[in-house]
Amino acid sequence: MLAEVAGVRVDTRHWINGQRVASSATFDSVSPIDGSVIAQVSRGGQTEADAAVAAAKAAFRGWADLGPEGRAPLLFRLADLVEENIEELAQLETRDNGSLLRSHRRGVMPRVAMNIRYFADYALNRLHHPVFETRGHENHVSWDPSGVTAIITPWNAPLMLATWRVGPALAAGDTVVLKPPEWAPLTASYFADLTAEAGLPEGVFNVVQGLGPEAGAPLTLNSDVARICFTGSVPTAKVIARNAAENLIPCSFELGGKSPTVILDDADLDLAVDLAVEQYDNAGQVCLAGTRLLVQEGIADAFAERFAARAAAIRQGDPRDEDTQIGPNIHLAHIERVQGFVDRAREAGATVVYGGDVNSEIGTHYFRPTLIRDASPGSEILTDEVFGPVLTMQTFTTDAEGLALANGTEYGLAACVVTGSRQRAEEFCRDLVAGTIWVNCFFVRDLGAPFGGSRKSGVGREGGVWSFDFYADVKNTVYAPDGWKV
Ligand code: NAD
């Protein structure tokens, strides 16, 4: 089943044991740019999920036994191939999920290559195996490959988020079954061909396409799966956690957020406005987005005025145009959900300062950048993840009050703090609950830094050694000082 999308040919069948496998059923991949159907994709279920896990299980020993030295050259080759195919991957992803083409070309797809190369290099050169002594005995710590890892991913940055898990899992010596998102499935299929071209042995990397409950759930219930990595929403994570409990499979969860952008009254206002406007990136479909603007009284009016002027000038349109700043939202069902949040906020008395609906002059999928003020404390627009271009603004007087507002949701994924004082920043950040905090900056990411969410934003941390702690079976072997015959 070949599709040609934006001039790129992609085989949309499953990829199992180094073979293309079709299902009798298919689903449509729809482009949010214009709502058109761009590909038919195989719609897998229990049979395909089981076959993929069996293939990954059969390939596991050989892949694990290669060791970091044997795996790294293949993974470096895969990273090179991603780099050689950046234009194809960027075109495909933009058509499929509507994110900006220039971001895919310059940031996202290069990061895909980095996800693979960084962790292969880490396993080879930086994963040190500590040896320490206890009453004359030697402890030897090792990171052993653990088996088959199932990876289930969302649509907002499909290949980047998939390879952020696939890279370390393969580097750790695990074999992988990837279940991509049904709203943006295409780059995973294209990537499968690159894994074959790089020379990964059959069964080491597999893709099962399909809908979540049909193709994803069987992976989470399979007793031959050693690890589950899930990136997505909290409700789905709860289902997966229950399924995983059946076989006590360890899970790594990267989930939603309702992160604050806190602007203290000594902040550089230009910087504060720049950082606030960035929260609309990817049409608000960024888990880390600091969608709650919390602004200290004293600068609130000046900030609001400048911010509204900047937000009004945001260029929304076709994500393939070089000067577009915000593209479409992913799906009509998702837009309906975003609209519901805005409508209910308005009905509950909040003010929609600008935006608030779809810009139908551009198309059906383009929700306007929106700002909501005067929402009543505790209302859902201030506590629940919208995952669209919808920001709220609240004000506070003291730093303590700002901190309470910042920590006042069930989430704890990220936070952005803007202030002119290093000391105030340190005091504020000490009690801020978030996996990542950016001070006077946003979205600076290092693959060696721990990444994950507190509270309902996730379970576990990945990045650098934290990734290997999850994907590997960490083992301690204790040698007695005597008893040796040879
Ligand atoms: P989602 O939970 O609806 O779906 C995510 C994936 O899970 C999809 O592949 C889907 O097919 C699959 N799935 C659905 N039901 C399943 C089931 N019962 N069993 C197994 N798999 C199932 O999430 P989404 O709408 O695709 O993504 C948006 C969410 O992802 C937001 O909440 C966002 O914050 C979050 N997210 C988090 C991060 C992070 O790093 N923390 C990154 C990106 C997105």
Side-chain angles (χ1 to χ4, degrees):
M1 222 165 40
L2 271 177
E4 187 161 328
V5 177
V8 180
R9 284 163 72 81
V10 56
D11 193 323
T12 57
R13 292 172 293 176
H14 314 291
W15 176 251
I16 299 173
N17 206 24
Q19 308 284 329
R20 289 290 171 188
V21 176
S23 299
S24 49
T26 61
F27 66 95
D28 292 341
S29 185
V30 176
S31 174
I33 298 176
D34 54 11
S36 62
V37 174
I38 52 173
Q40 307 280 317
V41 182
S42 283
R43 179 172 167 174
Q46 182 84 46
T47 307
E48 293 82 356
D50 287 353
V53 173
K57 185 182 178 189
F60 170 66
R61 203 59 267 160
W63 183 243
D65 287 348
L66 283 179
E69 306 76 17
R71 293 190 292 269
L74 299 172
L75 295 173
F76 291 154
R77 174 79 189 119
L78 178 57
D80 291 345
L81 284 168
V82 169
E83 277 165 354
E84 287 164 24
N85 284 269
I86 279 182
E87 184 58 23
E88 289 79 1
L89 289 166
Q91 291 284 355
L92 210 49
E93 197 88 291
T94 290
R95 198 82 175 92
D96 207 16
N97 91 330
S99 299
L100 299 185
L101 182 58
R102 65 181 153 85
S103 304
H104 283 149
R105 280 179 176 150
R106 290 175 210 152
V108 177
M109 295 308 163
R111 163 77 193 275
V112 167
M114 219 200 303
N115 285 340
I116 309 289
R117 189 178 288 121
Y118 176 90
F119 289 102
D121 175 67
Y122 200 103
L124 190 60
N125 296 315
R126 278 188 277 166
L127 193 57
H128 296 302
H129 297 210
V131 179
F132 55 95
E133 186 255 313
T134 307
R135 296 192 305 277
H137 297 60
E138 286 169 27
N139 296 271
H140 288 250
V141 179
S142 55
W143 276 262
D144 293 0
S146 66
V148 178
T149 291
I151 298 176
I152 301 172
T153 49
W155 44 262
N156 61 321
L159 194 59
M160 196 273 276
L161 291 169
T163 50
W164 159 244
R165 315 297 214 135
V166 170
L170 292 177
D174 297 357
T175 53
V176 167
V177 180
L178 172 66
K179 207 303 275 172
E182 54 268 48
W183 284 354
L186 298 183
T187 47
S189 283
Y190 192 89
F191 180 77
D193 284 333
L194 301 184
T195 65
E197 202 180 329
L200 263 63
E202 288 171 2
V204 166
F205 176 76
N206 306 271
V207 177
V208 178
Q209 296 282 10
L211 315 188
E214 295 173 8
L219 296 175
T220 64
L221 282 161
N222 191 315
S223 59
D224 285 329
V225 167
R227 296 287 185 274
I228 296 171
C229 285
F230 171 71
T231 310
S233 64
V234 170
T236 308
K238 289 182 181 175
V239 175
I240 291 176
R242 279 193 284 271
N243 288 347
E246 198 61 37
N247 294 296
L248 284 181
I249 304 171
C251 294
S252 167
F253 286 157
E254 293 184 358
L255 309 177
K258 189 73 178 173
S259 300
T261 297
V262 183
I263 301 165
L264 299 180
D265 57 8
D266 59 0
D268 175 331
L269 262 195
D270 290 331
L271 176 65
V273 169
D274 284 348
L275 292 171
V277 170
E278 266 192 69
Q279 310 308 323
Y280 285 123
D281 280 1
N282 209 25
Q285 301 165 140
V286 176
C287 57
L288 298 160
T291 53
R292 291 184 299 135
L293 306 179
L294 309 180
V295 190
Q296 199 152 26
E297 295 282 4
I299 57 162
D301 290 344
F303 169 83
E305 197 177 314
R306 281 203 219 180
F307 178 66
R310 280 284 301 283
I314 290 175
R315 289 183 299 275
Q316 187 172 27
D318 191 317
R320 295 166 294 189
D321 293 345
E322 188 68 15
D323 57 359
T324 293
Q325 291 171 294
I326 293 184
N329 290 103
I330 186 75
H331 196 279
L332 290 178
H334 185 61
I335 291 167
E336 203 174 303
R337 186 176 169 276
V338 173
Q339 185 72 67
F341 271 107
V342 173
D343 291 347
R344 289 190 297 277
R346 196 190 271 116
E347 280 156 24
T351 308
V352 179
V353 182
Y354 53 79
D357 56 7
V358 169
N359 186 343
S360 49
E361 283 172 21
I362 312 175
T364 49
H365 285 63
Y366 296 77
F367 204 91
R368 293 177 210 264
T370 299
L371 179 67
I372 294 181
R373 292 190 72 170
D374 312 318
S376 49
S379 59
E380 63 162 19
I381 197 71
L382 298 177
T383 57
D384 293 9
E385 184 182 49
V386 177
F387 220 55
V390 178
L391 305 188
T392 58
M393 180 173 155
Q394 297 163 270
T395 58
F396 60 91
T397 48
T398 63
D399 288 17
E401 199 188 324
L403 184 65
L405 277 177
N407 284 338
T409 73
E410 289 190 315
Y411 293 104
L413 188 55
C416 175
V417 178
V418 196
T419 170
S421 158
R422 173 80 189 218
Q423 190 189 337
R424 257 178 112 184
E426 286 176 11
E427 281 167 13
F428 200 91
C429 293
R430 192 186 51 221
D431 295 325
L432 196 48
V433 181
T436 302
I437 304 175
W438 286 287
V439 181
N440 292 340
C441 59
F442 183 59
F443 230 86
V444 178
R445 287 282 315 275
D446 187 314
L447 297 191
F451 178 82
S454 300
R455 295 177 173 161
K456 291 213 168 62
S457 286
V459 175
R461 295 290 183 272
E462 292 198 31
V465 74
W466 294 274
S467 293
F468 292 94
D469 284 349
F470 176 71
Y471 293 102
D473 268 331
V474 184
K475 185 168 79 184
N476 187 31
T477 308
V478 184
Y479 291 93
D482 40 34
W484 310 113
K485 292 194 172 159
V486 285

